[in-house]
Amino acid sequence: MAYVINEDCIACGSCIDECPVEAIKEGDIYVIDPEICTDCGTCVDACPTEAIHPA
Ligand code: SF4
């Protein structure tokens, strides 16, 4: 399992430095690599648009 970022992402970058394993990649909408994500949930609270959810 991994967390996913949905279309509510505004690409603000708030989450990217919170991830301890650097699983989040920049883009028009940010993406979490499910192969890297450890399901820790740290990024969820960093998102101002609540775009990050468990898959
Ligand atoms: Fe990174 Fe944890 Fe968010 Fe997965 S849940 S992307 S490991 S901060």
Side-chain angles (χ1 to χ4, degrees):
M1 205 175 116
Y3 279 75
V4 293
I5 300 174
N6 69 25
E7 68 278 1
D8 291 336
C9 174
I10 56 172
C12 70
S14 297
C15 58
I16 209 160
D17 290 335
E18 299 299 320
C19 180
V21 294
E22 299 184 5
I24 304 174
K25 304 302 177 198
E26 291 179 52
D28 292 337
I29 289 177
Y30 282 33
V31 176
I32 296 172
D33 186 335
E35 300 292 327
I36 300 174
C37 177
T38 60
D39 208 25
C40 73
T42 303
C43 55
V44 173
D45 289 336
C47 181
T49 64
E50 300 183 0
I52 306 177
H53 296 274

